[in-house]
Amino acid sequence: MSPRPPVALTIAGSDPSGGAGIQGDLKTFSALGAYGTAVLTSLTAQSTQGVTGVHVVPADFVRAQLDTLVDDVAVDATKIGMLASAATIEAVLAFLDERADAVPVVVLDPVMVSTAGSRLLAEDAVEPMRQLLPHVSLITPNLPEAAVLLDTDPAEDLDTMRAQAAALREMGAARVLVKGGHLGGDAHATDLWLDDAGEQLLTAPRVPTVNTHGTGCALSSAIAALAPRTGSLLEATRQAKTWLTGTLRAADALHIGHGPGPVHHCHDIWKDENDRKDGDR
């Protein structure tokens, strides 16, 4: 028998347009060779043009989904995305505290605001989100999210990113990846990694595309998918960032929706149209 693939879990909200959230995470897991499982925290009415509504799954049912899943399936790595409410965060926090052995690697993407500007986290949920930090393996905020967690202004340069990464570590985060994509003004996008061993700057070419829907979801879920194979969250992050650059380069080929389209999760897998036609002959 061949060995089973790594099993990755996403705890997040639904995105009907398929670019972000649960749908995007499951695509990422499959693209990177992990078997995807999912626990839904919310349903959204959403497209590439924005979010028009959020329906939060009751917190006790989120917990029931988690317990039922891990009682049966061995999970190797978990990605946490949109949690939406304080009650949901508290339910997930209790699960992480009580069932830590069932989720050995946890990557937290602290989803608070959509790319289109829609609020995805209730105001009273920010403090519970901060309480999650000591219970996860890695947190991956972008600059606005780091600023909300720290109750400060978003970083506008690398030195401020350093200071904010250090402040998040002081709040209990074991490892921090502050994503620098919002800085702009450069041919490269630089993210800052900070852990017990020190700082690493992870740089990739900035891709000129407006089709970036789901970028944050894709990166955090890619790290979770790759962590079991690499045995290192830093190496998983390096590989995930390289893969994400490929999804952005291929994004313009999808033509999905009328707003900022999704990244191309399956760019390494799908054949182009000519290859498909040749294969049908």
Side-chain angles (χ1 to χ4, degrees):
M1 293 178 60
S2 60
R4 79 163 175 77
V7 174
L9 164 63
T10 171
I11 306 170
S14 171
D15 173 12
S17 74
I22 290 285
Q23 290 87 337
D25 292 344
L26 292 175
K27 291 174 186 177
T28 298
F29 293 161
S30 291
L32 293 171
Y35 181 87
T37 61
V39 165
L40 270 73
T41 61
S42 58
L43 307 178
T44 67
Q46 181 175 177
S47 71
T48 62
Q49 296 180 299
V51 179
T52 60
V54 176
H55 178 74
V56 177
V57 175
D60 59 351
F61 193 72
V62 172
R63 178 61 192 263
Q65 291 179 74
L66 288 165
D67 286 331
T68 302
L69 175 68
V70 302
D71 282 345
D72 177 52
V73 178
V75 172
D76 298 301
T78 301
K79 171 263 175 80
I80 299 175
M82 178 181 174
L83 296 179
S85 73
T88 300
I89 295 174
E90 288 162 2
V92 171
L93 178 57
F95 171 78
L96 295 178
D97 187 43
E98 297 164 16
R99 307 288 305 263
D101 59 325
V103 280
V105 174
V106 182
V107 179
L108 172 62
D109 180 13
V111 176
M112 297 179 177
V113 180
S114 73
T115 303
S118 301
R119 182 87 187 190
L120 298 175
L121 185 72
E123 292 285 351
D124 65 352
V126 175
E127 182 56 37
M129 180 70 77
R130 294 178 181 128
Q131 294 173 17
L132 267 182
L133 301 193
H135 296 267
V136 303
S137 310
L138 169 66
I139 180 173
T140 64
N142 59 29
L143 300 186
E145 290 162 348
V148 171
L149 288 169
L150 295 168
D151 193 22
T152 188
D153 295 326
E156 295 183 350
D157 53 48
L158 189 57
D159 285 342
T160 310
M161 285 174 64
R162 286 190 175 99
Q164 292 190 0
L168 289 168
R169 289 260 296 155
E170 290 173 4
M171 291 173 64
R175 301 168 190 83
V176 177
L177 180 73
V178 179
K179 298 176 292 189
H182 284 78
L183 285 182
D186 193 288
H188 292 81
T190 299
D191 301 336
L192 189 146
W193 170 283
L194 187 64
D195 63 7
D196 285 342
E199 172 191 302
Q200 299 283 337
L201 297 180
L202 309 181
T203 301
R206 190 178 293 277
V207 179
T209 180
V210 298
N211 296 313
T212 59
H213 180 58
T215 305
C217 296
L219 180 62
S220 55
S221 56
I223 295 169
L226 292 165
R229 293 189 189 278
T230 62
S232 161
L233 276 167
L234 178 56
E235 180 56 28
T237 301
R238 292 185 190 279
Q239 293 185 20
K241 190 170 174 68
T242 298
W243 173 81
L244 183 64
T245 300
T247 73
L248 287 163
R249 285 177 172 154
D252 290 354
L254 284 176
H255 308 292
I256 303 296
H258 294 88
V263 300
H264 197 332
H265 304 85
C266 299
H267 69 284
D268 282 336
I269 301 172
W270 291 3
K271 297 179 180 180
D272 64 28
E273 186 64 26
N274 289 332
D275 286 344
R276 285 199 293 271
K277 288 178 180 177
D278 289 343
D280 291 339
R281 290 173 186 159

